[in-house]
């Protein structure tokens, strides 16, 4: 690289690349899920596509799927090279192909967290102050398919020796985080399980259904109290096929990791939270979700009973 | 003249290709004896060997160590094209800021990323720049390190330590800080960027953004004390590869990471950095 300074004047930037790992590769295929109706999501896809294409020097082809399962199957079958997926989705891929897929990046939020929490919430005027006090009281879950509003808290209840099917007087599904807050406020449940993020149990939370509704003046935060939390539950990941060239994986990781620092305005335009950034992860970051998924699969096969 | 320049470039490119200038990465190594770049010696520390071998394997090229006397000498050699990568501090970076850029810093264990901080005042108020807030009251929003210690550091980096201001109000959250500002109890609010974004971007589009009447006087990340620096003429792909190799090093190769990050206390992981991470930008 000794002639770099001179060569740069000729308009040619110096590459530290030995050989060309691109030989025989015509394009990089990336799976994405979600609705085209969300303009921020569409913009995010386009931004990732353009950045990765520029960084890697190959076209990035998007494989769009209307549901999570489409992305999971595309990754598991090797139809795509990388994908962005939630922890539960990656756990499903892991169950199918193991080490052939690996998470490489997840978001680290401004306050430092790389996940979110399940929070057991009661009304502030409630005499219930702990999970022990909840025995014989009613509880509202979010949804049967909710990780933070059902899957994780039930698993954590069991870890603490509580059978979630018999411990509470009544349980039912609110249908969503917002509905769970309203049902709790209206006295429909003695407590509700909600997602909480933007902080931790020590410092408090700044995001989640309660905070969103409080900002919209629909509820007052002072009317509620968190009495128990479970988490953090790992956020979604960039997942790559490990049988692809290592230089490609390194370049993807670096290009995506540098994005919030290189282009802070674009980072906000595509709907990311200011102050957030990517951090490296491995399978280990998702081991709890993988274990929950395995337990779920076992239950579905009738080995552990239905929750 | 243009033809002459193109011809010269062509000659240089051919010469560069023949010499194979892209088959090595030269890293500054501060030590007592300066000297030419060379392969790592047999007496190198195990962690140093692990780092050089890790980079060589992942980049597919030779990695050389370039002994320099200090960070200033490393900066000079980097700018002159005599080496390719160096750990610099603000003092050594400043003279070569026009031709180099930061690419990585280290996040200490338990610390935040280098997240941006925003300082804002009423748009109709008298303060037009940070200096106008000397002797005034600042409202901070929240109890977390991101809400208190970090904004204080960002201001201190720019010469505005706590003693510059008359008083700081520690509100319970961003909303409380804004209330204090609107009530005239404070002259400015200081929030980390995520708190600002949440406060100023209402979920309900029918609600007027509460920060519409504010003027941002500062949005900046904390100044890095040290950073890995490369020349700006390095290609984006090379820069991304270097970042992409360093980011997971703490997970993939502990010995290499421990040595490579030994200049940073309590190192947890490499974190990408903006070009001017070593400058106290405004």
């Amino acid at each position: 690289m000794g002639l770099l300074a001179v060569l740069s004047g000729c308009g040619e930037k110096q590459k530290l690349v030995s050989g060309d790992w691109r030989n025989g590769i015509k394009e990089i295929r990336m799976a994405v899920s979600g609705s085209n109706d969300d303009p921020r999501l569409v913009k995010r896809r386009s931004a990732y596509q353009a950045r990765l294409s520029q960084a890697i020097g190959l076209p990035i082809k998007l494989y769009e799927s209307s549901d999570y399962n489409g992305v999971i199957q595309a990754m598991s079958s090797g139809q795509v090279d990388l994908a962005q997926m939630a922890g539960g989705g990656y756990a499903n891929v892991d169950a199918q192909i193991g080490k052939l897929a690996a998470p490489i990046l997840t978001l680290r939020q401004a306050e430092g967290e790389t996940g979110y929490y399940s929070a057991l919430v009661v009304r502030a005027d409630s005499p219930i102050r702990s999970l022990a006090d909840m025995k014989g009281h009613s509880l509202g879950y979010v949804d049967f398919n909710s990780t933070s509003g059902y899957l994780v808290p039930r698993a954590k209840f069991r870890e603490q020796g509580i059978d979630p099917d018999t411990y509470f007087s009544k349980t039912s599904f609110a249908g969503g985080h917002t509905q769970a807050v309203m049902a709790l406020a209206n006295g429909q449940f003695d407590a509700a399980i909600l997602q909480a993020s933007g902080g931790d149990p020590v410092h408090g939370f700044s995001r989640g259904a309660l905070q969103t509704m409080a900002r919209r003046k629909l509820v007052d935060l002072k009317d509620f109290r968190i009495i128990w939390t479970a988490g953090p539950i790992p956020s979604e990941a960039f997942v790559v096929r490990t049988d692809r060239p290592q230089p490609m994986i390194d370049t993807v990781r670096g290009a995506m990791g540098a994005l919030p620092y290189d282009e802070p305005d674009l980072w906000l335009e595509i709907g990311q939270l200011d102050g957030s950034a990517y951090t490296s992860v491995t399978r280990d970051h998702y081991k709890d979700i993988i274990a929950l998924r395995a337990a779920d699969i076992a239950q579905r096969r009738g080995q552990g009973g239905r929750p | 003249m243009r033809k002459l320049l193109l011809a010269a470039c062509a000659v240089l490119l051919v010469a560069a290709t023949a010499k194979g200038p892209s088959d090595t990465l030269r890293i500054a190594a501060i030590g007592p004896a300066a000297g030419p770049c060379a392969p790592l010696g047999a007496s190198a520390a195990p962690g140093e060997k692990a780092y050089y071998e890790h980079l060589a394997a992942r980049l597919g090229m030779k990695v050389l160590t370039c002994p320099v006397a200090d960070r200033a000498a490393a900066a000079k050699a980097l700018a002159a094209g005599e080496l390719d990568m160096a750990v610099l501090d603000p003092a050594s970076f400043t003279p070569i800021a026009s031709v180099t850029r930061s690419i990585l810093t280290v996040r200490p264990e338990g610390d935040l990323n280098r997240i941006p901080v925003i300082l804002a005042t009423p748009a109709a108020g008298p303060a037009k720049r940070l200096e106008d807030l000397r002797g005034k009251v600042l409202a901070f929003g929240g109890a977390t390190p991101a809400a208190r210690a970090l904004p204080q550091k960002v201001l201190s980096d720019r010469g505005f330590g706590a003693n510059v201001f008359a008083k700081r109000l520690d509100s319970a959250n961003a909303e409380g800080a804004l209330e204090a500002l609107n009530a005239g109890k404070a002259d400015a609010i200081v929030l980390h960027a995520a708190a600002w974004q949440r406060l100023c971007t209402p979920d309900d589009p029918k609600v007027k953004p509460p920060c519409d009447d504010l003027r941002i006087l500062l949005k900046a990340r904390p100044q890095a004390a040290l950073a890995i620096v490369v020349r700006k003429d390095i290609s984006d792909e090379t820069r991304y590869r270097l970042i992409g190799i360093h980011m997971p090093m703490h997970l993939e190769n502990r010995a290499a990471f421990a040595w490579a990050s030994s200049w940073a206390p309590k190192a947890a992981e490499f974190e990408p950095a903006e070009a001017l991470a070593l400058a106290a930008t405004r």
Side-chain angles (χ1 to χ4, degrees), chain A residues 1-18 21-22 51 54-57 105 108-112 198 203-204 206-207 211-213 215-216 246-247 250-251 253-255 257-258 260-262 264-265 268 272-282, chain B residues 9 12-13 15-16 19 21-22 24-26 58-61 79-81 84 101 107 111-116 118 143-146 175 192-194 197-198 203-204 219 221 231-245 247-248 250-252 269 271-274:
Chain A
M1 286 182 70
L3 294 173
L4 261 181
V6 181
L7 289 175
S8 66
C10 303
E12 185 67 29
K13 286 197 169 186
Q14 183 70 23
K15 282 184 182 177
L16 291 170
V17 179
S18 69
W21 58 268
R22 297 174 192 77
R51 185 170 183 84
Q54 179 264 334
I56 294 172
L105 292 170
R108 181 177 161 89
Q109 298 298 346
E111 290 90 348
H203 298 101
S206 58
R207 290 199 305 279
Q211 285 74 13
T212 299
M213 293 173 73
R215 278 197 293 276
R216 297 177 67 178
Q246 186 66 47
D250 288 337
T251 308
R253 186 192 287 111
Y261 299 90
D262 285 353
D265 293 338
L268 302 186
Q272 299 290 17
L273 277 176
D274 209 350
S276 63
Y278 284 114
T279 186
S280 291
V281 289
T282 62
Chain B
C9 285
L12 285 170
L13 280 168
K19 191 183 174 188
S22 62
T24 58
L25 174 71
R26 298 164 301 170
R58 290 288 269 269
L59 289 167
M61 62 176 55
D84 306 310
R101 59 156 298 155
R107 182 179 68 79
D111 263 21
L112 302 164
N113 288 348
R114 295 176 47 259
I115 62 177
I118 290 171
T144 63
E175 287 80 1
H192 67 80
Q197 190 181 31
R198 286 192 294 270
D203 294 308
D204 185 347
K219 180 173 183 181
R221 297 181 189 272
R231 267 186 316 284
K232 283 180 180 173
D233 58 17
I234 199 170
S235 75
D236 284 343
E237 183 188 336
T238 302
R239 178 165 62 93
Y240 294 146
R241 270 181 84 174
L242 285 171
I243 294 170
I245 291 168
M247 280 182 77
H250 62 296
L251 300 168
E252 297 177 346
E269 64 179 336
E271 176 187 1
E274 71 279 15

Side-chain angles (χ1 to χ4, degrees), chain B residues 70-98:
Chain B
D70 52 27
R71 298 204 190 285
K76 192 176 172 187
L78 178 64
E82 293 164 7
L83 54 87
D84 306 310
M85 199 165 87
V87 177
L88 301 183
D89 57 15
S92 55
F93 171 75
T94 302
I96 61 164
S98 63

Side-chain angles (χ1 to χ4, degrees), chain A residues 57-286:
Chain A
L58 287 169
I60 305 294
K61 184 169 183 180
L62 293 184
Y63 280 74
E64 298 182 21
S65 172
S66 58
D67 59 22
Y68 294 135
N69 194 47
V71 175
I72 291 166
Q73 297 315 323
M75 176 58 74
S76 298
S77 64
Q79 285 179 284
V80 298
D81 307 299
L82 63 147
Q84 198 170 10
M85 56 178 61
Y90 165 62
N92 202 329
V93 170
D94 181 78
Q96 295 186 53
I97 60 171
K99 290 180 179 177
L100 275 176
I104 59 168
L105 292 170
T106 193
L107 274 177
R108 181 177 161 89
Q109 298 298 346
E111 290 90 348
E113 74 276 16
T114 56
Y116 54 96
Y117 288 80
S118 293
L120 182 59
V121 183
V122 298
R123 291 181 295 278
D125 59 4
S126 168
I128 301 168
R129 295 199 165 269
S130 67
L131 184 57
D133 294 341
M134 273 298 294
K135 188 174 175 61
H137 290 278
S138 60
L139 172 65
Y141 292 116
V142 172
D143 185 282
F144 181 76
N145 289 311
S146 170
T147 306
S148 63
Y150 185 75
L151 185 63
V152 168
R154 283 175 64 86
K156 294 299 175 187
F157 289 156
R158 289 195 186 95
E159 279 181 22
Q160 295 183 25
I162 289 171
D163 181 349
D165 294 324
T166 59
Y167 190 73
F168 308 106
S169 63
K170 181 184 80 171
T171 60
S172 54
F173 296 115
H177 288 274
T178 301
Q179 294 92 322
V181 173
M182 295 311 297
L184 178 62
N186 295 334
Q188 205 172 322
F189 306 119
D190 294 317
I193 290 282
L194 300 169
Q195 187 210 76
S197 58
D200 57 47
V202 175
H203 298 101
F205 299 98
S206 58
R207 290 199 305 279
L210 264 181
Q211 285 74 13
T212 299
M213 293 173 73
R215 278 197 293 276
R216 297 177 67 178
K217 311 287 185 196
L218 296 174
V219 297
D220 191 329
L221 284 178
K222 293 175 188 157
D223 294 338
F224 301 93
R225 181 173 63 242
I226 294 174
I227 61 169
W228 177 90
T229 58
I233 302 163
S235 302
E236 68 178 14
F238 259 100
V239 178
V240 297
R241 290 279 305 199
T242 57
D243 51 1
R244 302 315 195 243
Q246 186 66 47
M248 184 203 93
I249 296 171
D250 288 337
T251 308
V252 167
R253 186 192 287 111
M256 297 311 298
L259 182 56
Y261 299 90
D262 285 353
E263 302 189 53
D265 293 338
L266 176 62
W267 187 248
L268 302 186
E269 284 172 25
I270 62 177
Q272 299 290 17
L273 277 176
D274 209 350
S276 63
Y278 284 114
T279 186
S280 291
V281 289
T282 62
R283 180 185 186 276
D284 195 53
H285 188 69
Y286 295 92

Side-chain angles (χ1 to χ4, degrees), chain B residues 30-275:
Chain B
I30 295 172
C37 298
L40 206 58
S43 61
E48 189 175 16
K49 279 184 190 169
Y51 179 60
Y52 276 67
E53 286 169 4
H54 188 79
L55 286 182
R58 290 288 269 269
L59 289 167
M61 62 176 55
K62 286 180 281 186
V63 181
L64 304 181
T65 181
C66 304
V68 290
D70 52 27
R71 298 204 190 285
K76 192 176 172 187
L78 178 64
E82 293 164 7
L83 54 87
D84 306 310
M85 199 165 87
V87 177
L88 301 183
D89 57 15
S92 55
F93 171 75
T94 302
I96 61 164
S98 63
V99 294
T100 62
R101 59 156 298 155
S102 300
I103 61 167
L104 289 157
T105 59
V106 168
R107 182 179 68 79
E109 191 68 53
D111 263 21
L112 302 164
N113 288 348
R114 295 176 47 259
I115 62 177
V117 163
I118 290 171
L119 182 147
T121 61
K128 302 283 191 295
R129 55 201 184 110
L130 270 183
E131 284 74 8
D132 297 333
L133 291 172
R134 289 183 187 278
K136 304 294 185 185
V137 178
L138 302 189
F140 291 67
T144 63
R148 292 195 180 171
L150 177 86
Q152 191 65 63
K153 177 182 173 1
V154 169
L155 291 172
S156 296
D157 288 343
R158 283 141 185 92
F160 293 85
N163 58 341
V164 170
F165 306 104
K167 186 180 165 187
R168 61 178 282 168
L169 288 177
D170 285 322
S171 305
N173 49 38
E175 287 80 1
L178 183 62
E179 280 177 23
L181 183 70
N182 290 337
K185 295 176 184 172
D187 301 289
I189 56 173
V190 195
L191 303 172
H192 67 80
W196 171 270
Q197 190 181 31
R198 286 192 294 270
L199 176 70
C200 302
T201 313
D203 294 308
D204 185 347
K206 288 179 282 189
V207 175
K208 183 193 172 195
C211 306
D212 267 10
D213 299 329
L214 301 185
R215 173 193 293 127
I216 295 177
L217 295 190
L218 175 72
K219 180 173 183 181
R221 297 181 189 272
Q223 183 183 18
L226 292 162
I228 294 180
V229 177
V230 298
R231 267 186 316 284
K232 283 180 180 173
D233 58 17
I234 199 170
S235 75
D236 284 343
E237 183 188 336
T238 302
R239 178 165 62 93
Y240 294 146
R241 270 181 84 174
L242 285 171
I243 294 170
I245 291 168
H246 281 81
M247 280 182 77
M249 200 177 285
H250 62 296
L251 300 168
E252 297 177 346
N253 192 329
R254 287 298 303 177
F257 174 74
W259 188 88
S261 64
S262 57
W263 42 271
K266 296 191 300 175
E269 64 179 336
F270 281 110
E271 176 187 1
E274 71 279 15

